[in-house]
């Protein structure tokens, strides 16, 4: 990952205008498409599978006039007037008739109709006209609502007051207000203070805004195809903007630190993207996983919010690792801190940073810091134990809005329960006396607690379904109303036994209760998943058990404390004059959404703080000093990032809409608590108390978990290897102080106790022949390591400019391996072997290989000059050692790689000179050949006269090729070199359990 990001950062730096132009085109195209599609946000709170939704779906099929969206026109007579008198009554009846004739209206019921249920107040001053549409909420258009308004003119002309209630008129449209722009401006000020440069401060803002533009266009485009809540794009904007600024801040901060130490701007930008960018990608992935975890809850509108926010985070990551390095390319050296400036002195360590001072203060008495933070967050969490969840109702709309006025009028004149009537759907297909059974069911419902009114049963024209309206004494968001719904559902089996009919509770209030119930049930499992995921991810990152557990517990502290603040403000009513929201239940999906977002953000801060500590600890082994240095290097950036997020989120609180206010305050408090109390105070204190134990991990667990390199160690190793490889251009394959271990390819380097070969230096040019002598295990491990099949434990090696181990995959494509092990495949023929090797490199569109097999057979027979001739059907195991060795060499050469390695020890025993001659004859002029031979092999050219690296002795040649020999001695340390061996590479080795399959 780090190497890929390094290359991506370098590419973006070098092709700045191309990358920036691409992002501008993408933003313009996506935004243009979104606006062209005309996507509009719509509110839909359907939850497939719940009892209320199943009942609504059934009513839509058999009783459509009761299943669509509903609204209510609340009319009030002038002072001293009575709606039962003229001209008010006639005007109300006329209004009901006019509305009933509108397109899209299934039924408009006059409050004076015999079918109306308790629709006129006791003093005849307030009446309710119930309007039922034939479509659900998300399909009712603004034009239809405008037509209803026009039809109500007759009532207004009569002098009555009209207010509009129901979900269709609730204040659920959320948009950007000037306070959000203020939040961005404050973020800009924080960036300016952090960097001390206006140019640097503007870059994170520009990249974040670009990502948000693409995200908003995408959300608008999707909104044209499926219902999207109006809170969805605003949530994506809020989260995308915050993380977009933070991610760019992390990379830009690393870039300026490197510039201050003299690193070239291009190299610095690439390194910053490869190192800090790796942490950004990891942090972004954790946020995305947490947000996509909302899909498992099974609530469509919440799933849409999670996907949209995750999309915004993904774009924030992409612009940070591509667009930002392009901007750095345009800036060049202008971002280098001026020598002597405070920024330069702080980066170079000339002055002690506030972060260093703070962590040293915390470490003086870490137990005091732990008690203080836990105690403070514990007190703040107390209100969370009285958390009450509900969806928005008219009572949460702003004072003075028509939905709020209608809600208050109904509550005052009829009781709060009339704002949340329940619909009991009754299956009457099995009843023989419909009217009597409906009346009996209604009578039972009237006996329940908290019931204010129960209507008579109203059958549909098909006489298979009826509805009974139940009005509770309490409002739709009251706990007592929820209890009444559960009581009716508990009563359903008894009613089914007595009347042989089923009942279902539905209606807008029941739907909201089901949503809140589903979310409440999912909160704990979701929390377990999120916390478990955080522990697993951090174990992979930090190679520790206790650090992830500490991080997860700190996250829970932050979350519960933020819940407590939200409950105190929005449920208990503290500081209501500031928020402008009257006390009431908390938005039902706020806790689970808050957990998802804060999880990712908390992991961001944990990664950027603790990864520096781990790096220092690995290098120094001093746990306490690692805390000070790691914290001091990252504290300023994390502080700036947290302040920016806090400002962006908190800006939505004073003037934002109801739903966003709750989410924004929870996020703002959560970020503040997690960054400044948990990560900046609790974490270093706990790390100090744990000492070296903080970095403990069982060996078996370390082997199971993949190693996530977010500190960029692999990148640093790759750059060191690439720099060394750039000095080896005259060699096709070379190695210096190379240590070969047992680690298999793709599983990381061998640990020191696994190393089995001592350092070696080896150089061979294109076309050279190298003979490796020694035990079979040693020969094959060296060959497999140079071929990229086994990763080295240390030292340097390269194959045609590709350093090992960082580019082992590329090296593996350049080296063909073959081994003499006839027992492994006794029945394979020469033709099958050659075909197999030719197929490895032959393009799919050129299937015929018979001619190429014949060509190689002819070359083999010409080289061997033996009788009988080798044919395609000759079994490989039946050949003599020399003949088999030549066939294996030909098979490896058939792959057309520039380097081949063949281990054929028996052939050396039979005729070493003939084998070397065959290798020089068969191999193309530029192909380097590595041949494995047993210890003590004697050939015409003395082994100890070889000179691979020494220039004083001329290396022997064969058919114009330089011949090298390397002796691999087993049994401990490297022996002393004799005078005759002074030009020979000697490797010390210990026997291993490696098998001959290492070369296959």
């Amino acid at each position: 990952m780090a190497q890929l990001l390094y290359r991506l950062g370098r590419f973006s730096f070098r092709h700045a205008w191309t990358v920036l132009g691409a992002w501008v085109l993408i933003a313009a195209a996506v935004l243009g498409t979104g606006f062209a599609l005309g996507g509009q946000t719509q509110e839909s709170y359907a939850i497939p599978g719940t009892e209320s939704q199943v009942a609504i779906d059934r009513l839509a099929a058999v009783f459509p006039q009761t299943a669509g969206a509903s609204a209510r026109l609340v009319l009030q007579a002038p002072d001293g007037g009575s709606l039962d008198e003229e001209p008010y009554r006639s005007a109300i009846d006329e209004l009901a008739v006019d509305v009933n004739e509108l397109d899209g209206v299934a039924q408009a019921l006059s409050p004076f109709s015999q079918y109306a249920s308790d629709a006129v107040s006791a003093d005849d001053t307030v009446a309710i006209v119930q309007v039922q549409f034939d479509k659900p909420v998300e399909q009712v258009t603004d034009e239809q609502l405008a037509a209803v308004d026009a039809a109500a003119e007759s009532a207004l002309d009569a002098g009555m007051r009209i207010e509009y209630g129901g979900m269709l008129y609730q204040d659920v449209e959320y948009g950007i207000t000037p306070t959000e722009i203020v939040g961005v401006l404050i973020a800009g000020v924080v960036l300016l203070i952090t960097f001390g440069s206006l140019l640097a401060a503007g870059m994170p803002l520009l990249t974040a805004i670009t990502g948000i533009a693409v995200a908003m266009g995408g959300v608008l485009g999707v909104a044209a195809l499926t219902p999207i809540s109006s809170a969805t794009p605003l949530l994506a904007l809020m989260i995308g903007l915050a993380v977009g600024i933070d991610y760019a801040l992390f990379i830009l901060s690393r870039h300026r630190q490197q510039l201050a130490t003299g690193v070239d701007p291009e190299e610095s930008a690439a390194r910053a993207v490869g190192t800090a960018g790796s942490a950004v990608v990891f942090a972004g992935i954790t946020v995305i996983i947490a947000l996509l975890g909302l899909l498992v809850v099974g609530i469509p509108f919440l799933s849409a919010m999670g996907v949209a926010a995750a999309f915004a985070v993904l774009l924030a990551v992409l612009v940070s690792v591509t667009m930002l390095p392009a901007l750095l390319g345009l800036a060049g050296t202008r971002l280098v801190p001026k020598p002597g400036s405070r920024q330069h002195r702080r980066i170079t360590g000339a002055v002690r940073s506030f972060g260093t001072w703070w962590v040293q203060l915390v470490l003086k008495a870490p137990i005091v810091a732990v008690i203080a933070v836990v105690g403070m967050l514990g007190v703040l969490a107390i209100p969370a134990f009285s958390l009450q969840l509900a969806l928005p109702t008219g009572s949460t709309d702003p004072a003075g809005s028509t939905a709020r006025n209608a809600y208050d009028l109904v509550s005052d004149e009829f009781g709060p329960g009339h704002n949340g009537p329940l619909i009991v759907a009754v299956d009457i297909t099995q009843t023989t006396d419909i009217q009597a059974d409906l009346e009996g069911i209604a009578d039972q419902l009237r006996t329940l607690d908290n019931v204010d009114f129960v209507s008579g049963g109203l059958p549909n024209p098909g006489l298979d379904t009826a509805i009974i309206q139940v009005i509770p004494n309490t409002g739709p968001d009251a706990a007592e109303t929820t209890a009444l719904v559960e009581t009716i559902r508990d009563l359903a089996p008894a009613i089914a036994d007595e009347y042989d009919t089923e009942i279902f509770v539905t209606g807008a209030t029941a739907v909201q209760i089901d949503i809140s119930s589903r979310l409440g049930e999912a909160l704990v499992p979701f929390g377990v998943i999120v916390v478990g995921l955080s522990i697993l991810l951090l174990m992979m990152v930090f190679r520790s058990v206790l650090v992830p557990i500490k991080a997860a517990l700190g996250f829970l502290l932050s979350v519960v404390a933020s819940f407590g603040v939200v409950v105190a403000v929005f449920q208990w009513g503290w500081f209501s004059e500031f928020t402008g929201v009257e006390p009431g239940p908390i938005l039902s999906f706020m806790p689970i959404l808050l957990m998802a977002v804060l999880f990712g953000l908390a992991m961001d801060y944990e990664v950027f703080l603790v990864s520096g500590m781990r790096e220092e600890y690995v290098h120094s082994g001093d746990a306490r000093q690692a805390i000070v240095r790691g914290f001091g290097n990252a504290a300023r950036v994390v502080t700036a990032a947290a302040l920016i997020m806090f400002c962006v989120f908190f800006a939505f609180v004073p003037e934002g809409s109801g739903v966003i206010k709750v989410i924004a305050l929870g996020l703002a408090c959560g970020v503040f608590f997690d960054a400044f109390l948990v990560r900046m105070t609790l974490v270093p204190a706990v790390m100090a108390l744990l000492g070296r134990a903080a970095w403990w991990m069982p060996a078996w667990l370390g082997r199971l978990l993949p190693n996530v390199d977010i500190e960029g160690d692999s990148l640093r190793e790759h750059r060191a290897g690439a720099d060394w490889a750039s000095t080896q251009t005259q060699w096709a394959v070379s190695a210096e102080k190379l240590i070969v271990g047992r680690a298999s390819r793709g599983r990381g380097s061998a640990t020191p106790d696994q190393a089995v070969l001592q350092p070696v230096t080896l150089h061979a040019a294109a076309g050279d022949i190298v003979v490796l002598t020694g035990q079979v295990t040693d020969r094959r491990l060296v060959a497999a390591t140079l071929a990229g099949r086994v990763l080295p434990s240390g030292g340097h090696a390269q194959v045609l400019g590709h350093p090992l181990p960082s580019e082992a995959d590329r090296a593996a494509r350049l080296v063909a391996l073959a081994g003499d092990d006839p027992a492994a495949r006794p029945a394979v023929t020469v033709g099958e072997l050659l075909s197999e090797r030719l197929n490895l490199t032959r393009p799919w569109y050129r299937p015929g290989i018979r001619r190429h097999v014949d060509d190689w057979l002819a070359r083999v027979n010409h080289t061997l000059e033996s009788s009988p001739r080798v044919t395609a059907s000759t079994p490989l195991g039946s050949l003599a050692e020399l003949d088999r060795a030549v066939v294996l060499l030909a098979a490896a050469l058939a792959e057309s790689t520039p380097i081949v390695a063949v281990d054929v020890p028996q052939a050396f025993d039979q005729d070493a000179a003939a084998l070397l001659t065959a290798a020089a004859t068969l191999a193309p002029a530029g192909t380097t050949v590595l041949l494995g031979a047993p210890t003590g092999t004697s050939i015409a050219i003395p082994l100890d006269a070889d000179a691979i690296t020494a220039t004083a002795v001329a290396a022997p040649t064969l058919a114009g090729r330089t011949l090298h020999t390397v002796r691999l001695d087993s049994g401990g340390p490297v022996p002393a070199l004799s005078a005759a061996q002074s030009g020979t590479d000697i490797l010390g080795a210990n026997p291993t359990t490696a098998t001959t399959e290492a070369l296959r």
Side-chain angles (χ1 to χ4, degrees):
M1 174 64 74
Q3 296 175 40
L4 174 63
L5 291 174
Y6 175 88
R7 298 188 189 101
L8 183 60
R10 185 179 289 277
F11 174 87
S12 300
F13 188 98
R14 291 177 174 176
H15 304 85
W17 287 114
T18 301
V19 174
L20 293 176
W23 274 111
V24 171
L25 289 176
I26 291 172
V30 176
L31 272 175
T33 302
F35 284 118
L37 292 175
Q40 298 290 328
T41 58
Q42 302 170 349
E43 305 309 311
S44 175
Y45 294 112
I47 308 183
T50 60
E51 179 178 322
S52 57
Q53 189 60 46
V54 170
I56 287 177
D57 294 340
R58 175 172 178 171
L59 290 176
V62 301
F63 212 158
Q65 59 268 38
T66 65
S70 63
R72 48 177 52 183
L73 279 58
V74 183
L75 301 103
Q76 185 178 34
D79 291 342
S82 172
L83 295 181
D84 198 26
E85 299 175 354
E86 298 298 338
Y88 308 122
R89 180 162 183 158
S90 297
I92 293 174
D93 288 335
E94 181 183 351
L95 181 155
V97 171
D98 292 343
V99 173
N100 202 54
E101 294 176 352
L102 296 176
D103 290 338
V105 174
Q107 184 182 56
L109 196 62
S110 169
F112 304 110
S113 169
Q114 62 176 327
Y115 299 107
S117 302
D118 197 19
V120 181
S121 64
D123 58 2
D124 293 333
T125 59
V126 177
I128 301 173
V129 175
Q130 191 71 29
V131 180
Q132 197 75 29
F133 292 87
D134 57 10
K135 300 292 183 182
V137 172
E138 62 270 17
Q139 297 181 25
V140 177
T141 65
D142 293 338
E143 291 75 15
Q144 289 174 318
L145 294 180
V148 173
D149 294 346
E153 290 294 330
S154 60
L156 292 174
D157 293 341
M160 288 179 286
R161 171 192 176 189
I162 300 181
E163 301 291 351
Y164 301 88
M167 186 178 294
L168 287 169
Y169 291 95
Q170 284 182 221
D171 182 24
V172 291
E173 295 294 331
Y174 313 113
I176 301 175
T177 64
T179 53
E180 285 83 72
I181 299 175
V182 172
V184 175
L185 294 177
I186 295 175
V189 172
V190 174
L191 288 170
L192 183 59
I193 295 173
T194 301
F195 291 120
S197 165
L198 190 60
L199 178 62
M203 289 183 179
L205 293 176
L206 182 59
T207 56
I209 291 172
T210 302
I212 285 300
V214 178
M216 292 299 100
V219 172
L220 286 177
V222 174
L225 306 175
T226 187
I228 296 292
S229 167
S230 56
T232 299
L234 198 55
L235 180 67
L237 168 66
M238 183 168 59
I239 295 173
L241 184 62
V243 300
I245 295 175
D246 276 8
Y247 292 165
L249 166 65
F250 292 135
I251 296 174
L252 183 56
S253 176
R254 180 68 62 88
H255 176 61
R256 297 200 79 209
Q257 288 176 3
Q258 294 168 168
L259 290 178
T261 58
V263 180
D264 175 73
E266 180 178 333
E267 178 66 17
S268 176
R271 286 186 192 177
V273 175
T275 52
S278 296
V280 163
V281 170
F282 173 80
I285 289 174
T286 60
V287 180
I288 290 171
I289 291 174
L291 289 169
L292 293 181
L294 297 173
L295 293 170
V296 304
V297 180
I299 298 178
F301 76 88
L302 189 59
S303 298
M305 294 175 74
V307 171
F311 179 55
V313 174
L314 174 63
L315 288 168
V317 173
L318 292 178
V319 296
S320 297
V321 299
T322 56
M323 184 177 179
L324 179 61
L327 293 174
L328 299 181
L330 296 181
T333 59
R334 285 178 290 175
L335 290 176
V336 179
K338 295 180 180 180
S341 66
R342 180 170 179 82
Q343 293 292 323
H344 187 273
R345 289 184 291 119
R346 179 183 56 79
I347 292 173
T348 57
V351 294
R352 186 173 70 159
S353 65
F354 176 79
T356 301
W357 174 85
W358 174 254
V359 72
Q360 288 175 341
L361 178 64
V362 170
L363 295 189
K364 288 182 179 179
I367 189 64
V368 174
V370 171
I371 294 173
V373 171
V374 173
M376 187 182 306
L377 293 178
V379 171
L380 291 172
I382 291 175
F385 293 98
S386 61
L387 178 67
Q388 182 182 348
L389 302 176
L391 283 176
T393 65
S395 63
T396 61
D397 284 324
S401 65
T402 186
R404 176 62 178 275
N405 291 338
Y407 187 95
D408 291 343
L409 271 176
V410 171
S411 294
D412 294 342
E413 299 295 331
F414 296 90
H418 280 67
N419 282 302
L422 305 175
I423 302 298
V424 178
V426 185
D427 180 358
I428 55 176
T429 55
Q430 304 301 316
T431 60
T432 56
D433 190 346
I434 294 176
Q435 218 42 53
D437 288 349
L438 289 177
E439 187 60 34
I441 294 172
D443 288 340
Q444 289 197 35
L445 295 176
R446 292 186 184 100
T447 63
L448 301 178
D449 293 337
N450 196 37
V451 171
D452 179 47
F453 175 81
V454 176
S455 71
L458 177 64
N460 69 335
L463 297 180
D464 54 21
T465 303
I467 59 171
I468 299 174
Q469 188 180 63
V470 178
I471 299 177
N473 288 312
T474 52
D477 56 0
E480 293 83 356
T481 303
T482 301
L484 176 59
V485 170
E486 296 302 323
T487 300
I488 296 175
R489 288 172 175 170
D490 291 341
L491 186 63
I495 291 177
D497 291 340
E498 183 175 353
Y499 298 99
D500 198 19
T501 184
E502 293 183 294
I503 65 170
F504 309 91
V505 184
T506 186
T509 300
V511 168
Q512 293 183 352
I513 290 173
D514 284 346
I515 291 176
S516 299
S517 176
R518 174 76 67 85
L519 288 167
E521 293 171 357
L523 187 58
V524 172
F526 182 78
V528 171
I529 292 173
V530 168
V531 172
L533 179 63
S534 70
I535 292 175
L536 182 61
L537 290 175
L538 291 181
M539 278 185 180
M540 291 188 292
V541 172
F542 297 126
R543 318 305 295 175
S544 165
V545 174
L546 297 180
V547 169
I549 293 175
K550 173 265 306 171
L553 293 176
F555 161 69
L556 290 178
L557 274 175
S558 303
V559 168
V560 178
S562 61
F563 285 173
V565 172
V566 169
V567 169
V569 172
F570 290 99
Q571 188 173 315
W572 292 0
W574 294 8
F575 309 107
S576 57
E577 65 280 1
F578 171 73
T579 61
V581 175
E582 294 189 11
I586 303 302
L587 187 67
S588 55
F589 56 84
M590 187 280 296
I592 200 167
L593 192 64
L594 187 68
M595 289 180 65
V597 177
L598 278 184
F599 162 70
L601 301 183
M603 295 308 102
D604 289 358
Y605 303 141
E606 182 76 13
V607 166
F608 282 101
L609 274 176
V610 183
S611 61
M613 299 180 191
R614 178 177 182 270
E615 185 176 0
E616 291 289 340
Y617 176 76
V618 170
H619 291 162
S620 68
D622 187 336
R624 189 177 185 88
Q625 191 61 30
I627 297 172
V628 175
R629 291 181 179 175
F631 187 95
N633 292 335
R636 186 177 181 86
V637 178
V638 173
T639 299
L643 285 175
I644 289 169
M645 284 206 176
F646 176 81
C647 293
V648 171
F649 291 148
F650 195 75
F652 287 81
V653 177
E655 299 297 332
S657 298
V659 171
I660 296 300
K661 283 177 184 281
V662 178
I663 298 173
L665 181 63
L667 288 175
C669 292
V671 165
F672 185 87
F673 297 153
D674 196 86
F676 297 109
L677 294 181
V678 174
R679 308 302 156 189
M680 305 283 285
T681 306
L682 186 63
V683 165
V686 173
M687 296 288 286
L689 293 175
L690 292 175
R692 297 174 63 90
W695 307 108
W696 171 79
M697 172 177 275
W700 63 269
L701 183 58
R703 290 190 295 269
L704 288 177
L705 294 177
N707 191 358
V708 180
D709 176 27
I710 65 169
E711 293 96 357
D713 289 339
S714 63
L715 175 60
R716 286 186 282 272
E717 293 174 1
H718 168 70
R719 292 309 306 158
D723 291 341
W724 175 82
S726 66
T727 67
Q728 305 290 305
T729 54
Q730 71 272 39
W731 308 114
V733 57
S734 58
E736 288 184 359
K737 299 180 180 179
L738 179 67
I739 302 176
V740 176
R742 297 177 186 167
S744 61
R745 184 176 171 200
R747 296 295 301 273
S749 299
T751 57
D753 63 321
Q754 292 175 313
V756 296
L757 295 176
Q758 297 298 316
V760 61
T761 298
L762 167 67
H763 299 83
D768 288 357
I769 297 177
V770 180
V771 178
L772 304 176
T773 70
Q775 294 187 7
V776 61
T777 297
D778 302 336
R779 299 191 312 264
R780 297 193 174 193
L781 274 175
V782 170
T785 300
L786 294 175
R789 271 66 164 187
V790 174
L791 302 185
S793 303
H796 290 299
Q798 64 86 27
V799 175
L800 293 174
H802 299 290
L804 300 174
S806 60
E807 294 190 12
D809 288 342
R810 297 189 179 186
R813 292 193 290 269
L814 300 173
V815 183
L817 294 175
D820 187 6
D821 189 12
R825 301 170 68 185
V828 68
T829 66
V830 173
E832 291 171 343
L833 177 63
L834 290 172
S835 298
E836 178 184 273
R837 293 302 182 115
L838 285 166
N839 278 322
L840 291 176
T841 55
R842 189 170 179 80
W844 62 270
Y845 53 84
R846 297 177 61 187
I849 62 171
R850 178 60 183 270
R851 178 172 60 85
H852 299 279
V853 171
D854 292 341
D855 289 344
W856 277 106
L857 284 171
R859 295 172 65 180
V860 167
N861 285 304
H862 176 74
T863 301
L864 291 174
E865 297 180 351
S866 60
S867 180
R869 294 173 61 84
V870 177
T871 67
S873 59
T874 302
L876 187 63
S878 67
L879 294 174
E881 283 80 2
L882 179 60
D883 295 353
R884 185 166 61 248
V886 173
V887 169
L888 289 171
L889 178 61
L893 290 169
E895 294 186 36
S896 301
T897 57
I899 302 170
V900 297
V902 182
D903 195 87
V904 284
Q906 292 85 356
F908 273 98
D909 290 338
Q910 181 180 7
D911 193 340
L915 177 60
L916 291 172
T917 302
T921 303
L922 280 176
T927 300
T928 302
V929 180
L930 306 179
L931 294 174
T935 302
T937 297
S938 177
I939 56 179
I941 303 172
L943 288 175
D944 57 3
D946 174 41
I948 297 176
T949 59
T951 58
V953 181
T957 61
L958 179 65
R961 298 173 182 267
T962 301
L963 177 64
H964 309 295
T965 61
V966 176
R967 192 174 76 219
L968 308 178
D969 291 337
S970 299
V974 180
L977 300 182
S978 66
Q981 296 170 331
S982 59
T984 304
D985 287 339
I986 299 178
L987 298 84
N990 295 312
T992 72
T993 58
T995 68
T996 57
E997 289 300 314
L999 287 177
R1000 294 198 179 276

